[in-house]
Amino acid sequence: MLTVEQVAACGVVPVVVLEDAEQAVPTAKALLAGGINAMEITFRTSAAKASIAKVAAEVPEMIVGAGTVVNVEQLHDALEAGAKFIVSPGSDADVIREAMALNVPVMPGVVTPSEIMMGLKLGVRVFKFFPAESFGGLKTIKALCGPFPQIRFIPTGGINQNNAAEYFKNPKIVAVGGSWMVTKDMVAAGDFDGITEKSAAATALFREIRG
Ligand code: 3PG
């Protein structure tokens, strides 16, 4: 069974918003060329399901997941399209339970101790911390790790090449999520070389710090 740690092994989970499913394969290939082998395609656009399906079918080296999954219907849609993992901005017990029942890695979003306690009860050990920078970033994560030493985080929201290092240096961080290496503008402009360049810089920073 695929684990959250395996999904996030390259240190960076890109949050990808695609308006057109035709952009999915070139975007996935550009990320791969930069050393990123997992991508979260968000259910924020009508192109999400078709985009996931294209990457799953045409770019087998890429571990494609679904992001912004807020209910069980979207979870099923995502899995039908070939998604290998599920990311949610918040914590929904039904989504978490269903993903676990189906042996699909799930990264539910949290910012509070109560949300963490709910996730812990369901068996979650790696949480998305979202929106990270708005909720105190690493300082809050360190505080949360006091009562919850058994958990780790994938902080997302407001993280970029300039502040990722401080997260990578903390052992409670599995990886960081973000859109800085694959912005909507870059995708719209077809700037796939730019996506590769920023992805390579991000993964190099992670390797430099984690070895
Ligand atoms: C998002 O929801 O858009 C993600 O958390 C990415 O955040 P970022 O754009 O600040 O990286």
Side-chain angles (χ1 to χ4, degrees), residues 15 44 128 130 156-159 177-180:
V15 177
R44 293 178 205 180
K128 171 170 169 160
F130 173 79
T156 305
I159 301 178
S179 65
W180 81 93

Side-chain angles (χ1 to χ4, degrees), residues 35-59:
I36 294 181
N37 72 334
M39 70 192 287
E40 168 194 334
I41 297 180
T42 62
F43 264 72
R44 293 178 205 180
T45 68
S46 56
K49 188 173 178 182
S51 299
I52 291 169
K54 276 184 183 290
V55 176
E58 296 176 40
V59 194

Side-chain angles (χ1 to χ4, degrees), residues 77-160:
D77 258 5
L79 298 182
E80 196 177 280
K84 306 289 187 298
F85 66 96
I86 298 294
V87 184
S88 201
S91 291
D92 179 276
D94 292 338
V95 169
I96 296 171
R97 274 197 211 98
E98 181 71 352
M100 289 194 160
L102 297 170
N103 282 332
V104 178
V106 59
M107 308 173 193
V110 295
V111 287
T112 67
S114 298
E115 291 160 333
I116 292 170
M117 286 164 66
M118 193 271 278
L120 277 175
K121 203 191 290 187
L122 297 175
V124 180
R125 292 295 177 271
V126 179
F127 293 87
K128 171 170 169 160
F129 179 64
F130 173 79
E133 285 287 302
S134 309
F135 277 86
L138 204 50
K139 189 175 172 204
T140 302
I141 287 175
K142 285 178 185 166
L144 289 169
C145 286
F148 305 114
Q150 69 275 54
I151 66 172
R152 291 187 297 152
F153 292 95
I154 301 180
T156 305
I159 301 178
N160 55 54

